[in-house]
């Protein structure tokens, strides 16, 4: 098993996951970054830091999922529309 961590392979593997899995992975990254940030830079104690990081990660997961699903739905809708001219522009 090879652990090659090139940027393109990470992005391609990330895109293969479902939208909920992508949201959770991104939320875990936010969680892992926000715990040390709030502990060291905001001078919170460990419990406050972890609780604030969990709240932020959950909020990020929800917003990421909703916006991504909206964007995917609009993109899918645009690709299924006809390629020809619009109804009012056929005679012009």
């Amino acid at each position: 098993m090879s652990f090659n961590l090139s940027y393109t392979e990470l992005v391609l593997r990330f895109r293969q996951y479902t939208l909920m899995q992508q949201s959770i992975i991104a939320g875990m990254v936010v969680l892992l970054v926000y715990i040390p940030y709030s502990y060291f830079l905001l001078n919170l104690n460990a419990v406050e830091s972890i609780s604030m990081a969990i709240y932020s990660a959950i909020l990020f997961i929800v917003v990421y999922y909703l916006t991504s699903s909206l964007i995917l739905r609009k993109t899918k809708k645009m690709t299924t529309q006809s390629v020809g001219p619009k109804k009012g522009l056929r005679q012009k």
Side-chain angles (χ1 to χ4, degrees):
M1 180 179 246
S2 173
F3 291 108
N4 189 2
L5 296 177
S6 72
Y7 177 74
T8 55
E9 289 180 6
L10 285 175
V11 171
L12 288 175
R13 184 164 296 176
F14 183 75
R15 287 184 176 183
Q16 291 175 346
Y17 293 127
T18 64
L19 186 56
M20 183 53 83
Q21 289 172 332
Q22 290 178 5
S23 303
I24 292 172
I25 291 170
M28 291 301 114
V29 170
V30 168
L31 184 71
L32 292 176
V33 168
Y34 201 78
I35 289 174
Y37 168 77
S38 61
Y39 183 75
F40 292 114
L41 294 178
L42 299 179
N43 294 326
L44 299 176
N45 64 24
V47 175
E48 290 173 335
S49 174
I50 291 172
S51 66
M52 186 179 281
I54 289 173
Y55 173 74
S56 299
I58 290 171
L59 185 64
F60 183 83
I61 288 170
V62 169
V63 170
Y64 182 90
Y65 182 81
L66 291 176
T67 56
S68 296
S69 63
L70 180 71
I71 290 169
L72 284 174
R73 194 175 314 137
K74 285 196 177 257
T75 304
K76 191 180 288 185
K77 186 177 180 182
M78 287 175 58
T79 58
T80 58
Q81 288 180 347
S82 67
V83 184
K86 302 294 179 208
K87 189 173 183 180
L89 301 175
R90 289 183 184 158
Q91 301 299 326
K92 293 183 179 182

